[in-house]
Amino acid sequence: MKPGSRLKSTVCDSEVVVIRYGSGVLTCGGAPLGDGAGERGEIDPAQAGGTVMGKRYVDAAGTVELLCVKPGKGTLALDGAALQLKEAKPLPASD
Amino acid sequence: MNIALFLEMAAQADPDRIGLVCDGKHWSYGELDAAARGACALIRASGASHVALLDESSEAAVIALFGAALAGVPYCPLNYRLADADLAALLGRVAPALIVGDARRVQQLSGDAGHIVYPRSEFTLAALEAVVDEQAECDPGEGVCIQLFTSGTTAAPKAAILAHSNLVSYILGTVEFGSAEESEATLVSVPPYHIAGIAALVSSIYAQRKVVLLPAFAPEDWLKLVEAEKVTNAFVVPTMLGRIIQALDKGVRADIGSLKAIAYGGGKMPLELIHRALDLFPETAFTNAYGLTETSSTIALLGPEEHRAAHRSADPKVRARLASVGIPLPTIELEIRGEDGEVLPAGQPGEIYVRGDQVSGRYKEKSALDAEGWFPTRDAGYLDEDGYLFLAGRADDVIVRGGENISPGEIEDLLLTHPAIADIAAVAVPSLEWGEAVGVAVVVRGGFAQPDADEIRSMVRARLRSSRVPEVVRFFPSLPYNEMGKLLRREVKKLLAA
């Protein structure tokens, strides 16, 4: 999964772009993220935290970073552990 | 990752929101995104190796930038102010290109070099009318996004290249998606061939801050546009700010109460001018941005609170920070190195080195990065004990007097505190004894008598080391600057040699 790859959820509208990826299984709403092909499934109600447009999501170790380019209802996770919202450090607009 | 995704996200989040205003015409994110997709189809069908712009800023520049990105072809805005021979050489280096802009000049200069040329309005129309294959994949953005020719002050211009990954890293590191209120609008008046002009477009679109273009800067037009479009943010080079303040002094009136923030960069800001601006716009947030083409724009920032703190402080150390370019961005590494490559401690001047994902440091011809990925900026400077970065001119501008390195900046900063001196440049002049010595070109402030050359020498002698005392002191009505407000030191050398 190269940086720049676009991944789609099969259980909600979420789409993400890979900023950084090491290893492990990426899921959204409990189902693997992929190229969007294949059957649509049901969202795991325990993993329905939602994704927010333009937000970045990272794992605790910082090996994976995803940018949400289309919001949806599922929670992003790496090997079953939910990804966290990456805190933005606000900078004044410089250009 | 492709930078065109930023426009797509803005269009997806709010297709009808206005993203661009130019010549009174409003463009929504949805319209811009559709036009960029049309431009991509045109560019792919053309077989061009580059997409060049030979034009002032307009919607066509925005459409060409994102269209080229989608097509995976480098976007190469050219400086239309170049002399014919220089421009002809650059046109040869981008052939065969799809060129947007001055068709007549391209025809005159490069005849039949295989270029496909669209005048501005024809390009916009063709992009809007192009048949787009919805199934066509856009470029993955693993290659070159932007190619910018350096100004070539010492040799032939170098083609600096920025990869999609450099710009993406800069934007993601500094801008939060959709962070602008719908009422925000940013006025862009720097030319499209300058990195600040490109960075302004991409950052504003990602923040969903409306871009208002002013293709040809004139202070009266700038003020009028702030009022008409209720502009909240602006980026200017110091010369522009000086001219805006002059216009206000002359009695030009405009309601500029909407203006909340002014960012500046691209050249040295005279201390007196920024103090004046802070007094004149007491509610405005000023940000100083330092960056280079090769670093995808900004790498250090002096923020609004720091401006106000320095402006009102009586502590000389805090006050001096107004002359700094602030603190390096948290997403990059920055070091000051000496002549042997050793990392220098705070307070010691040397060459500024940077490293990070946004730093390209590559030219089409070769990479300037060292083995560890550090980019030597050729800018001289130092960090103070609190990490504020001070610039001291180009490393190439250092005056070497009998083996001692002298930074022009320290002499200039000191002499600018003389009440009768409005502007000054210190450069190397040939010296039989020392190889090089210090020469200063001085502009006397209106209403003041010309100071004595010996008075200037004793001021330097009293405050700096004796090696800094200028051998040559001459007076001129003004100093030579380029259109971006950069002092042309080569020209100053010629003036002092004449």
Side-chain angles (χ1 to χ4, degrees), chain B residues 310-464:
Chain B
H311 181 53
R312 57 171 182 258
S313 178
D315 177 351
K317 199 182 81 179
V318 177
R319 205 167 163 79
R321 284 196 186 133
L322 212 45
S324 81
V325 292
I327 304 273
L329 296 186
T331 42
I332 60 137
E333 296 170 272
L334 187 145
E335 286 178 359
I336 308 294
R337 296 195 193 171
E339 264 173 41
D340 301 321
E342 75 280 18
V343 177
L344 298 175
Q348 280 202 39
E351 184 176 351
I352 301 169
Y353 275 67
V354 285
R355 182 164 74 174
D357 290 339
Q358 75 179 71
V359 178
S360 158
R362 287 188 303 145
Y363 305 96
K364 204 169 182 184
E365 299 77 16
K366 66 179 175 83
S367 170
L369 299 181
D370 73 7
E372 280 80 44
W374 288 90
F375 172 60
T377 62
R378 303 303 294 148
D379 277 342
Y382 66 93
L383 291 163
D384 76 5
E385 57 204 34
D386 297 311
Y388 286 81
L389 178 64
F390 289 76
L391 301 184
R394 293 293 283 172
D396 310 283
D397 297 334
V398 166
I399 303 160
V400 186
R401 182 182 183 273
E404 188 182 352
N405 287 347
I406 300 171
S407 144
E410 59 174 325
I411 301 166
E412 293 164 0
D413 290 346
L414 169 68
L415 289 175
L416 277 173
T417 62
H418 190 296
I421 296 179
D423 199 5
I424 189 162
V427 296
V429 292
S431 159
L432 276 179
E433 193 179 1
W434 302 102
E436 285 180 356
V438 177
V440 290
V442 183
V443 179
V444 178
R445 185 180 306 286
F448 282 82
Q450 178 174 312
D452 194 61
D454 279 332
E455 184 191 338
I456 288 173
R457 290 194 179 99
S458 31
M459 184 170 171
V460 176
R461 193 174 294 112
R463 301 276 297 276
L464 303 171

Side-chain angles (χ1 to χ4, degrees), chain B residues 31-45:
Chain B
E31 286 171 321
L32 288 173
D33 189 51
R37 283 171 201 286
C40 168
L42 287 182
I43 293 160
R44 281 190 165 154

Side-chain angles (χ1 to χ4, degrees), chain B residues 6-335:
Chain B
F6 296 151
L7 176 57
E8 185 191 322
M9 288 167 72
Q12 196 146 68
D14 204 342
D16 298 326
R17 183 159 159 180
I18 297 302
L20 181 72
V21 181
C22 183
D23 282 334
K25 189 163 168 17
H26 292 62
W27 294 79
S28 69
Y29 291 112
E31 286 171 321
L32 288 173
D33 189 51
R37 283 171 201 286
C40 168
L42 287 182
I43 293 160
R44 281 190 165 154
S46 75
S49 66
H50 296 79
V51 173
L53 180 81
L54 187 62
D55 196 9
E56 294 177 341
S57 287
S58 78
E59 78 289 340
V62 181
I63 295 165
L65 164 66
F66 287 101
L70 285 165
V73 174
Y75 172 67
C76 183
L78 299 169
N79 182 349
Y80 45 81
R81 289 189 172 96
L82 286 178
D84 283 353
D86 299 328
L87 185 60
L90 298 189
L91 285 170
R93 287 168 69 181
V94 297
L98 186 150
I99 304 177
V100 180
D102 194 340
R104 228 168 72 198
R105 197 150 179 232
V106 175
Q107 180 59 33
Q108 268 169 10
L109 293 179
S110 61
D112 191 24
H115 296 309
I116 297 168
V117 191
Y118 287 90
R120 179 198 297 178
S121 51
E122 284 177 29
F123 175 74
T124 302
L125 198 64
L128 289 170
E129 288 179 347
V131 178
V132 175
D133 175 5
E134 298 295 339
Q135 300 306 310
E137 288 281 313
C138 82
D139 184 82
E142 288 164 14
V144 175
C145 179
I146 308 280
Q147 177 177 323
L148 281 178
F149 287 105
T150 60
S151 49
T153 46
T154 47
K158 287 180 287 185
I161 52 177
L162 295 175
H164 283 276
S165 61
N166 298 134
L167 279 161
V168 163
S169 155
Y170 171 63
I171 297 297
L172 293 181
T174 57
V175 187
E176 189 65 12
F177 177 76
S179 52
E181 302 285 330
E182 195 145 2
S183 58
E184 290 183 35
T186 189
L187 181 48
V188 178
S189 48
V190 285
Y193 55 80
H194 193 277
I195 184 63
I198 295 171
L201 294 179
V202 183
S203 325
S204 304
I205 284 173
Y206 196 60
Q208 289 193 299
R209 182 177 296 113
K210 182 169 77 181
V211 172
V212 179
L213 290 178
L214 176 60
F217 177 82
E220 298 79 11
D221 297 341
W222 191 91
L223 288 163
K224 255 188 251 166
L225 209 47
V226 170
E227 176 173 323
E229 293 294 336
K230 298 196 172 43
V231 165
T232 54
N233 297 59
F235 179 88
V236 291
V237 298
T239 322
M240 292 175 182
L241 186 60
R243 292 181 60 197
I244 290 160
I245 291 178
Q246 267 175 19
L248 291 170
D249 286 346
K250 276 192 215 141
V252 177
R253 285 290 161 262
D255 177 5
I256 53 171
S258 58
L259 198 59
K260 287 189 296 198
I262 295 178
Y264 63 91
K268 190 175 171 154
M269 171 65 84
L271 253 187
E272 182 185 270
L273 178 58
I274 188 64
H275 275 298
R276 181 81 210 288
L278 286 160
D279 283 330
L280 213 53
F281 307 106
E283 304 299 326
T284 305
F286 283 88
T287 298
N288 183 3
Y290 162 64
L292 298 91
T293 302
E294 294 91 331
T295 59
S296 312
S297 190
T298 308
I299 51 173
L301 280 180
L302 186 74
E305 294 78 23
E306 291 158 313
H307 272 82
R308 293 291 165 193
H311 181 53
R312 57 171 182 258
S313 178
D315 177 351
K317 199 182 81 179
V318 177
R319 205 167 163 79
R321 284 196 186 133
L322 212 45
S324 81
V325 292
I327 304 273
L329 296 186
T331 42
I332 60 137
E333 296 170 272
L334 187 145
E335 286 178 359

Side-chain angles (χ1 to χ4, degrees), chain A residues 2-4 6 15 17-20 53-56 65 67-71 86 88-95, chain B residues 1 5 8-9 12 142 170 172-174 176-177 199-200 203 206 209 233 235 263 287 289 297-298 301 304 329-330:
Chain A
K2 282 184 302 188
R6 196 165 178 144
E15 287 184 25
V17 167
V18 178
I19 308 280
R20 190 169 34 242
M53 180 69 167
K55 294 291 179 196
R56 289 181 287 164
E65 183 171 338
L67 172 69
C68 173
V69 296
K70 204 172 179 185
K86 183 166 177 169
K89 297 180 193 85
L91 289 170
S94 67
D95 46 34
Chain B
M1 188 174 145
L5 185 64
E8 185 191 322
M9 288 167 72
Q12 196 146 68
E142 288 164 14
Y170 171 63
L172 293 181
T174 57
E176 189 65 12
F177 177 76
S203 325
Y206 196 60
R209 182 177 296 113
N233 297 59
F235 179 88
T287 298
S297 190
T298 308
L301 280 180
L329 296 186

Side-chain angles (χ1 to χ4, degrees), chain A residues 12-92:
Chain A
C12 71
D13 293 332
S14 294
E15 287 184 25
V16 298
V17 167
V18 178
I19 308 280
R20 190 169 34 242
Y21 176 75
S23 60
V25 178
L26 288 170
T27 55
C28 178
L33 280 162
D35 60 7
E39 271 192 32
R40 308 284 302 172
E42 288 296 313
I43 193 165
D44 174 355
Q47 296 194 52
T51 56
V52 179
M53 180 69 167
K55 294 291 179 196
R56 289 181 287 164
Y57 295 86
V58 290
D59 64 327
T63 62
V64 166
E65 183 171 338
L66 306 176
L67 172 69
C68 173
V69 296
K70 204 172 179 185
K73 292 196 172 107
T75 300
L76 296 168
L78 175 69
D79 291 331
L83 298 183
Q84 302 302 312
L85 202 63
K86 183 166 177 169
E87 289 299 328
K89 297 180 193 85
L91 289 170

